[in-house]
């Protein structure tokens, strides 16, 4: 692997000098919760930044530092922080409904459910829940009940939420994960036991020959193939790969699940489903469709979702429930967000600004002779430090992740926030001015980083 010389100590010192309030809070947090965070993803070395306030494209931390925010809560915020449409919707729920949750069905959930269903699986059915993880969990349960088969196939490096059934081969050590063309399931979590691994099949993304061979071998036991149609939300499946996968899963009668929790309303309004013009059997949604409030949705073939019908005899249906499923706040705020994104020109402007930043970052790196690859569609992208095309998990692992991690730390020090090593997500609140400012701060960060080793 090719690596830059950088002075890690210096970069960490600069970060620490700028964020003493976060360091203090992290110490306190360690006394309350393991590792000081409420979700594994929120931790990074030496400690996470504690945010205090947000507006539009900006966030401010507890030390008063201002950042242009590209985390956008892991892509969940499409309109930016505190958008008027979101505020108005929250107020109108309280004013007109008089509560945050009834515990009964509402008209709004039917209306919003129809919008999402018509976009992601016209003629199909939909069910709401409260997170992406709940959506993927339900998709897999439905597939197992529908096919009466046990085993789940997923792609190496694809993430489907923190649930034991799907926590294998998301971030395996490549040395332990078998040959690239025939990867072996590796547990990502201590609770994933041998039994679960025996029911798990790993596929190599963007390698059709190997994927086809494995699918044909395992077909009779497979309940579904679940995938991120863009790995990490940004690395596309090749056209030929995606079309062949759809055809083969259809021919072999294996339900195909698109996990669009990241890509839904990000790569296109209709997600990867629209981008590829492929109709999977089930689509999982989350993040943006809640407009910043917790939500998940499963959309798909009526015949498959029909297993959820509570009128079916207990034990013959798939029992699925949840106190907050379809709660009016998430449904109304989600609807307002999606409506705003679907206004004429809105999504295009998000794509245009995203493309402008992506090009600016790529140009700044190219000018400095730094080899890199860009990936992404629509309202998000990522950068990988490698001279080779990035088409799979192993390509990502072969890139210079250490340089990336320290560049992201330096970006934070210079007022650009994204979780180190995570993707860039934009929103309708990001202006042309934000993009120019970010390009400047990006150039400064790269220069500081590369200079750190020289001096
Ligand atoms: C593709 C994908 N699926 C599922 C999930 C889980 O969603 P949640 O964090 O809402 O449970 C995520 C979260 O980032 C995701 O990116």
């Amino acid at each position: 692997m090719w690596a830059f010389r950088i002075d890690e100590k210096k970069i960490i010192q600069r970060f620490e000098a700028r964020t003493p309030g976060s360091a203090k809070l992290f110490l306190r947090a360690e006394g309350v919760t393991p590792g000081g965070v409420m979700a594994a993803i929120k931790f990074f070395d030496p400690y996470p930044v504690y945010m205090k306030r947000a507006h539009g494209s900006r966030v401010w931390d507890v030390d008063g530092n201002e950042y242009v925010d590209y985390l956008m809560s892991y892509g969940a915020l499409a309109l930016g922080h505190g958008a008027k449409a979101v505020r108005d919707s929250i107020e109108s729920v309280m004013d007109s409904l008089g509560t945050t949750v009834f515990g009964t069905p509402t008209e709004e959930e039917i209306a919003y459910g129809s919008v999402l269903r018509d976009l992601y699986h016209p003629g199909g059915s939909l069910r709401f829940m409260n997170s992406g993880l709940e959506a993927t969990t339900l998709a897999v349960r439905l597939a197992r009940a529908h096919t009466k088969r046990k085993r789940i196939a997923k792609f190496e490096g694809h993430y489907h939420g923190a649930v034991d059934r799907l926590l294998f081969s998301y971030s395996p050590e490549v040395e332990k994960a078998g040959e690239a063309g025939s990867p072996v399931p590796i547990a990502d979590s201590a609770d994933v036991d041998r039994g679960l691994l025996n029911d798990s099949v790993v596929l190599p993304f963007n390698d059709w020959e190997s994927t086809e061979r494995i699918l044909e071998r395992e077909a009779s036991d497979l309940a579904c193939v679940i995938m991120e149609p863009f790995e990490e939300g940004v690395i596309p499946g090749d056209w030929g790969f995606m079309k062949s996968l759809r055809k083969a899963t259809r021919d072999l009668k294996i339900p195909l699940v698109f996990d669009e929790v990241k890509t839904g309303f990000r790569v296109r309004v209709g997600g990867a489903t629209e981008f590829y013009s492929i109709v999977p059997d089930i689509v999982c949604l989350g993040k943006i469709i809640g407009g910043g409030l917790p939500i998940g949705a499963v959309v798909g073939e009526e015949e498959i979702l029909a297993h959820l019908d509570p009128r079916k005899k207990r034990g013959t249906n798939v029992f699925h429930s949840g106190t907050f499923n379809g709660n009016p706040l998430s449904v109304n705020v989600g609807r307002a967000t999606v409506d705003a994104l679907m206004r004429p020109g809105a999504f295009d402007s998000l794509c245009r600004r995203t493309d402008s930043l992506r090009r600016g970052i790529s140009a700044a790196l190219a000018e400095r002779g730094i080899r890199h690859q860009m990936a992404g569609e629509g309202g998000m992208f990522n950068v990988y430090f490698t001279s080779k095309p990035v088409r799979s998990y192993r390509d990502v692992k072969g890139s210079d992740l250490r340089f990336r991690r320290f560049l992201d730390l330096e970006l934070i020090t210079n007022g650009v926030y994204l979780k180190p090593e995570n993707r860039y997500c934009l929103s309708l609140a990001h202006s042309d001015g934000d993009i120019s400012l970010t390009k400047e701060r990006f150039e400064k960060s790269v220069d500081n980083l590369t200079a750190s080793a020289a001096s």
Side-chain angles (χ1 to χ4, degrees):
M1 199 207 307
W2 146 89
F4 278 98
R5 280 191 334 117
I6 47 177
D7 186 337
E8 299 181 2
K9 249 201 198 146
K10 224 183 256 178
I11 294 152
I12 292 175
Q13 275 167 6
R14 272 205 292 264
F15 171 84
E16 289 176 342
R18 209 171 140 90
T19 56
S22 288
K24 245 174 143 178
L25 281 179
F26 184 63
L27 270 181
R28 241 178 87 194
E30 280 181 297
V32 175
T33 184
V37 286
M38 299 297 170
I41 185 81
K42 294 184 186 176
F43 176 79
F44 61 85
D45 255 339
Y47 50 80
V49 178
Y50 284 73
M51 295 302 175
K52 184 134 182 129
R53 195 164 66 81
H55 179 71
S57 61
R58 305 296 170 102
V59 286
W60 288 263
D61 70 13
V62 289
D63 290 295
N65 298 309
E66 181 192 328
Y67 305 84
V68 187
D69 182 21
Y70 293 97
L71 181 67
M72 284 288 130
S73 192
Y74 299 95
L77 297 173
L79 310 185
H81 294 281
K84 185 168 180 324
V86 167
R87 284 168 181 266
D88 288 351
S89 173
I90 292 173
E91 268 176 34
S92 92
V93 166
M94 294 311 295
D95 288 348
S96 65
L97 306 186
T99 183
T100 53
V101 61
F102 292 108
T104 69
T106 61
E107 185 174 348
E108 287 85 356
E109 73 190 20
I110 311 171
Y112 188 33
S114 308
V115 170
L116 296 177
R117 189 267 318 270
D118 293 349
L119 275 169
Y120 281 85
H121 203 103
S125 299
L126 170 142
R127 181 58 78 83
F128 281 123
M129 58 290 306
N130 300 297
S131 65
L133 143 70
E134 288 179 51
T136 55
T137 304
L138 182 63
V140 165
R141 291 179 62 208
L142 280 167
R144 293 181 89 179
H146 188 66
T147 57
K148 301 198 169 41
R149 300 183 201 138
K150 213 171 164 188
R151 303 181 82 196
I152 307 298
K154 76 178 276 287
F155 287 89
E156 193 173 63
H158 291 207
Y159 180 63
H160 302 295
V163 54
D164 56 358
R165 197 71 208 70
L166 291 165
L167 270 176
F168 62 95
S169 299
Y170 157 52
S171 57
E173 284 175 53
V174 171
E175 301 71 40
K176 295 184 182 159
E179 293 297 315
S182 48
V184 294
I186 303 284
D188 291 307
S189 181
D191 54 325
V192 177
D193 60 19
R194 192 43 41 210
L196 279 177
L197 285 182
N198 285 343
D199 287 340
S200 306
V201 173
V202 197
L203 301 166
F205 191 56
N206 272 333
D207 172 354
W208 178 243
E209 210 176 289
S210 305
T211 296
E212 184 180 36
R213 177 176 40 79
I214 299 169
L215 284 182
E216 283 177 353
R217 190 183 66 211
E218 308 288 348
S220 60
D221 279 340
L222 280 186
C224 69
V225 172
I226 184 166
M227 75 185 309
E228 287 197 75
F230 283 68
E231 185 172 304
E232 298 190 341
V234 291
I235 302 166
D238 297 338
W239 286 100
F241 179 83
M242 297 299 287
K243 299 279 176 201
S244 301
L245 179 64
R246 178 60 286 195
K247 183 173 180 323
T249 46
R250 193 167 275 139
D251 292 348
L252 295 166
K253 300 199 170 14
I254 306 167
L256 177 63
V257 182
F258 271 14
D259 178 353
E260 295 233 46
V261 169
K262 286 191 194 86
T263 50
F265 291 93
R266 274 256 166 232
V267 302
R268 293 286 183 275
V269 165
T273 304
E274 177 186 331
F275 179 84
Y276 291 113
S277 296
I278 283 179
V279 183
D281 300 285
I282 301 177
V283 178
C284 300
L285 295 168
K287 295 196 191 280
I288 283 182
I289 65 158
L293 286 159
I295 203 167
V298 167
V299 197
E301 287 293 328
E302 200 178 3
E303 195 191 343
I304 300 180
L305 268 79
H307 292 281
L308 295 172
D309 190 334
R311 293 167 300 188
K312 284 192 175 166
K313 194 164 166 279
R314 189 62 66 86
T316 65
N317 65 358
V318 171
F319 183 79
H320 171 250
S321 204
T323 302
F324 295 103
N325 289 6
N327 73 79
L329 263 183
S330 299
V331 161
N332 283 276
V333 170
R335 175 77 195 263
T337 298
V338 161
D339 284 351
L341 268 180
M342 286 167 70
R343 251 182 237 131
F347 197 77
D348 287 346
S349 85
L350 172 67
C351 296
R352 186 179 59 71
R353 295 217 173 92
T354 307
D355 192 52
S356 166
L357 180 60
R358 174 186 162 141
R359 280 171 193 275
I361 284 178
S362 186
L365 293 168
E367 272 164 30
R368 288 159 178 79
I370 298 175
R371 286 167 288 182
H372 65 282
Q373 308 288 325
M374 307 299 293
E377 267 296 322
M380 68 183 163
F381 68 87
N382 213 343
V383 55
Y384 300 95
F385 293 99
T386 169
S387 50
K388 294 192 200 140
V390 174
R391 299 174 62 248
S392 70
Y393 174 74
R394 296 191 189 211
D395 296 331
V396 173
K397 282 288 174 196
S399 69
D400 192 338
L401 295 171
R402 180 175 146 275
F403 181 79
R404 175 65 202 269
R405 190 164 62 250
F406 284 95
L407 172 60
D408 290 349
L409 220 48
E410 184 64 23
L411 279 166
I412 292 175
T413 301
N414 287 295
V416 174
Y417 190 77
L418 70 158
K419 162 83 195 301
E421 295 181 65
N422 221 277
R423 62 203 179 281
Y424 289 73
C425 292
L426 278 79
S427 74
L428 291 184
H430 286 81
S431 65
D432 289 334
D434 288 326
I435 305 302
S436 308
L437 183 64
T438 306
K439 285 179 193 168
E440 271 170 40
R441 290 179 177 177
F442 186 87
E443 292 189 4
K444 183 175 166 197
S445 302
V446 175
D447 291 340
N448 285 350
L449 200 64
T450 46
S452 75
S455 55

